[in-house]
Amino acid sequence: MKNYSKIVSGTMTWGDWGKNLNVKEMTKLIENCFEIGINCFDHADIYGGYTTEFSFGKSFKESQISREKAKFITKCGIQYICEKSNYKVKHYEYSKKHIIDSTEKSLKNLKTDYIDLLLLHRPSPLLNPDDIAEVIEKFKKEGKVISFGVSNFNSNQVDLLSTKNLIEWNQIECSLTEPKYMFDGLLDYSIKNKIKIMAWSPLGSYFKLKNKANYRIKKTLQPLMEKYQASESQILLAWITKHPSKITPIVGSTSIERLKSSVNSFKIEMSTEDWFSLLEARNGFKIP
Ligand SMILES: NC(=O)c1ccc[n+]([C@@H]2O[C@H](COP(=O)([O-])OP(=O)(O)OC[C@H]3O[C@@H](n4cnc5c(N)ncnc54)[C@H](OP(=O)(O)O)[C@@H]3O)[C@@H](O)[C@H]2O)c1
């Protein structure tokens, strides 16, 4: 598999921030991901309080998978308060020194010579496009970063960086319960400028919150499960992937069954009317 798989596996809860998988369990999960057609893993320096990249790197080395077959994504920029840091205020840091140090650490932790995709984790008003351009150029020349992108950036913020860098990806929050970027122009901008989109929390708050909107979605979704012979999460994924920006969902589950069912969600061809019926349920008012 040379390209990014249609589903990316998110590692945020693999370690200290969730399932606390040990090396054996992580290795098995990585191998199982490849068996079902997932070759791409989403990281950030901060995941697990700066510990998950290291555990993943160790586990990947133990696996039977060769590095060239996999895609590693990681992010930098958030200065997160935890045992391994001594910040008093959570903040975003995009100085050249920080980006270089953080990426070098990620390379070391992931036990790899290169990152397939490096993302700036969140936009900052203090970010200097010239600094970013210099660092990314250096990394690309050295072969340490293959592609570059951003995360949680709006279209103006992407535009600012696009004058200096080739932004290939924007990783954003996108789901039926949080579809704001479908309506504020960001996804239109991304199609126009050929910026690829990855969606984090693609299932949104559906399994996390019991609120009126999720109750309405559940009611509308039930007959669709029967119609498309699909699970709730497959319908939720099919809803975002119908968007013409060709969204790549980052699935956070550590269950191989759920990851497999996510891959299979691409078989669903949701009708336009069903798509709008779910949007209407989410909004709580008739489509105008
Ligand atoms: N760039 C950013 O700022 C940013 C922010 C947040 C996350 N991310 C990335 O996005 C990835 C995914 O985020 P996410 O974890 O919020 O995504 P998600 O895939 O929408 O949610 C995963 C959660 O939903 C649960 N779930 C899935 N199917 C379920 C079902 N049928 N019934 C009940 N619960 C179900 C999973 O539980 P189980 O684990 O038990 O299956 C897991 O807790 C992260 O790992 C990270 O890589 C990026």
Side-chain angles (χ1 to χ4, degrees):
M1 280 182 285
K2 241 178 139 200
N3 297 323
Y4 288 69
S5 45
K6 283 184 172 181
I7 293 284
V8 169
S9 167
T11 65
M12 189 174 72
T13 62
W14 285 31
D16 278 10
W17 280 0
K19 298 283 162 40
N20 269 310
L21 302 182
N22 61 33
V23 171
K24 204 171 159 202
E25 290 164 333
M26 270 196 201
T27 305
K28 186 159 185 269
L29 184 53
I30 293 166
E31 288 174 345
N32 286 343
C33 279
F34 276 83
E35 281 160 22
I36 61 166
I38 296 177
N39 66 353
C40 182
F41 300 89
D42 181 63
H43 291 271
D45 54 349
I46 58 169
Y47 288 172
Y50 299 94
T51 64
T52 303
E53 282 185 328
F54 178 78
S55 315
F56 179 96
K58 212 169 161 193
S59 308
F60 190 84
K61 274 275 175 222
E62 298 273 310
S63 79
Q64 301 298 312
I65 315 295
S66 66
R67 176 63 185 95
E68 310 81 70
K69 286 194 175 150
K71 300 276 182 197
F72 292 175
I73 303 169
T74 198
K75 318 181 193 80
C76 64
I78 297 181
Q79 302 289 48
Y80 178 76
I81 302 171
C82 65
E83 256 177 42
K84 287 208 166 201
S85 68
N86 47 22
Y87 308 114
K88 292 197 176 67
V89 178
K90 183 182 176 189
H91 59 284
Y92 307 142
E93 172 65 79
Y94 291 112
S95 63
K96 286 185 274 186
K97 180 174 177 351
H98 177 71
I99 301 174
I100 292 171
D101 289 352
S102 174
T103 309
E104 292 288 356
K105 248 184 234 162
S106 292
L107 288 165
K108 209 168 152 206
N109 285 333
L110 291 167
K111 301 195 192 316
T112 180
D113 298 330
Y114 63 94
I115 304 291
D116 294 278
L117 174 61
L118 178 70
L119 304 175
L120 306 186
H121 207 151
R122 289 205 172 255
S124 162
L126 301 182
L127 177 156
N128 178 340
D130 292 328
D131 288 349
I132 307 292
E134 202 181 311
V135 176
I136 299 306
E137 247 169 61
K138 168 185 140 56
F139 274 142
K140 282 194 171 178
K141 245 186 229 155
E142 293 169 347
K144 290 181 177 174
V145 168
I146 308 299
S147 300
F148 170 63
V150 292
S151 179
N152 305 301
F153 277 46
N154 66 29
S155 43
N156 286 336
Q157 292 158 339
V158 175
D159 228 19
L160 175 69
L161 279 187
S162 293
T163 57
K164 303 277 175 190
N165 301 280
L166 182 61
I167 296 191
E168 291 181 45
W169 289 91
N170 192 2
Q171 185 182 115
I172 55 166
E173 182 177 19
C174 189
S175 62
L176 176 59
T177 68
E178 188 43 279
K180 64 175 180 278
Y181 294 121
M182 289 191 186
F183 301 99
D184 77 347
L186 177 68
L187 291 188
D188 309 309
Y189 170 91
S190 306
I191 294 174
K192 187 174 164 221
N193 292 287
K194 298 188 169 50
I195 292 168
K196 296 183 280 272
I197 296 292
M198 267 176 209
W200 57 266
S201 290
L203 307 176
S205 66
Y206 185 79
F207 295 111
K208 293 173 188 156
L209 288 180
K210 282 196 188 334
N211 58 24
K212 283 186 184 158
N214 286 342
Y215 174 74
R216 288 193 304 267
I217 293 172
K218 201 174 182 66
K219 244 179 102 182
T220 308
L221 203 148
Q222 295 300 321
L224 300 183
M225 290 167 67
E226 175 77 24
K227 176 174 172 182
Y228 293 107
Q229 288 295 296
S231 66
E232 289 168 295
S233 51
Q234 284 181 317
I235 300 281
L236 292 169
L237 291 174
W239 190 85
I240 59 167
T241 56
K242 187 173 172 68
H243 194 275
S245 60
K246 299 199 179 93
I247 295 169
T248 301
I250 312 166
V251 173
S253 181
T254 52
S255 143
I256 199 65
E257 286 74 28
R258 284 186 180 156
L259 284 160
K260 191 171 179 185
S261 117
S262 307
V263 172
N264 287 331
S265 71
F266 277 91
K267 291 182 188 151
I268 300 169
E269 282 186 36
M270 186 178 288
S271 78
T272 301
E273 188 176 7
D274 291 337
W275 193 91
F276 275 96
S277 75
L278 286 165
L279 180 64
E280 188 167 270
R282 180 261 171 204
N283 289 345
F285 52 83
K286 294 272 175 222
I287 300 294

